[in-house]
Structure formats: structure tokens, C-alpha cells
Amino acid sequence: MCVVATVYFSVSLAPAVAGDFAWPLAPKPHVVTPFDRPEQNWLPGHRGVDLAGEAGRSVLAVADGTVVFAGSVAGKPVVSVDHSGGLRSTYEPVTASVSAGTRVRRGTVLGVLESGHYSCSSTCLHWGIRRGRDYLDPTALVHASPIRLKPLDTPLR
């Protein structure tokens, strides 16, 4: 008898579960600039991803959490949300419609995307995730990688 099963897993970001997180733009956006973890936190790299979008588009909370910052950093509008498991998501440039202390659910509108992110030729959202001082690839939270178990050529004993 052959058994075939499909199992899904995510990159080890425990206790975060891939199914608990969603993209911050809907529908699923195109990744313009991928994550590029620096070897050390002070070295060059891309500590998030840039997602294609349009100015005025709603930016959504990727998971349940609490807004910990909604304001300006170096002249750019930023929103940051703390999630379970010590994760913090950050969105820039976003003019906030929420304020610090607001509890949000996955899909809650955090604000609107503005143009002017320095690393994109067109409008895009910079989305970052970190745990403590460690930057993580945010797309790992929304991608579920399938593992397919193939039938065995020989019977099990």
C-alpha cells in the first residue's frame, strides 16, 4: 500500500506560525527588493523587503498585536507593531490611522502607503520583522513551503 501525504512547515520563527501572518498589502504584492540579512547588524544589508504598491493604498497589520510606534523617523512616516513571540513588524512610509497602544488584529488598516521610499523607483512599502536585535525575512512568515512525501518503492515492514 502506498501512502502520500502533504505537510506544510514554515521557517523556524517559533512561536510564530506562518498561518497567523498575512501580507501587509492586498492582494499579495510583488517583492521589489528582497531581504538581505547583514552578517552583523551594523553592516550593510536590506533588513526587510520592499513591496510594490500605490500611494494611498491601505497598509494592513500582518498579525494580531499592539501598535508601539506611529510617527516620524528621520522625516519618514513609520508604524511598528509588537506581536506574540517577541516579533515586531515595521512599515514605512505609512501615514498612520492608528496610534501607539492600539490593539490590532491581522488585517486591521494601520494607515496609508505614501510615495518616497528611497530604494524604490516607484511607490513601495518597506516591511521589516525583527525579534530583539535580529532581523528576519518577513516573507518567511507568509510563505508555507510544502513537503510532499512520495510513495515508497518497497513495502513497509
Side-chain angles (χ1 to χ4, degrees):
M1 172 182 207
C2 294
V3 176
V4 177
T6 303
V7 178
Y8 292 90
F9 74 99
S10 67
V11 173
S12 179
L13 295 175
V17 176
D20 293 340
F21 286 76
W23 291 94
L25 299 173
K28 177 185 169 188
H30 170 72
V31 176
V32 176
T33 310
F35 179 73
D36 180 21
R37 181 190 326 265
E39 288 186 33
Q40 300 292 334
N41 280 345
W42 61 86
L43 293 175
H46 193 238
R47 292 161 175 82
V49 294
D50 293 334
L51 305 174
E54 303 84 32
R57 190 170 177 184
S58 293
V59 176
L60 313 172
V62 296
D64 297 355
T66 302
V67 177
V68 292
F69 184 82
S72 183
V73 175
K76 301 279 185 184
V78 176
V79 177
S80 293
V81 178
D82 278 356
H83 308 284
S84 65
L87 295 175
R88 175 172 289 177
S89 60
T90 300
Y91 316 82
E92 183 264 316
V94 176
T95 298
S97 60
V98 293
S99 56
T102 304
R103 300 261 319 135
V104 295
R105 309 256 323 150
R106 181 178 73 187
T108 299
V109 174
L110 299 175
V112 296
L113 180 60
E114 301 295 336
S115 60
H117 182 58
Y118 72 93
S119 69
C120 293
S121 59
S122 60
T123 302
C124 66
L125 172 70
H126 178 80
W127 172 38
I129 295 279
R130 68 181 172 94
R131 179 181 283 133
R133 294 178 184 234
D134 295 325
Y135 293 93
L136 306 170
D137 181 352
T139 63
L141 292 170
V142 292
H143 287 154
S145 302
I147 298 174
R148 289 180 175 75
L149 302 175
K150 304 282 183 174
L152 295 172
D153 290 337
T154 58
L156 296 174
R157 298 175 201 229

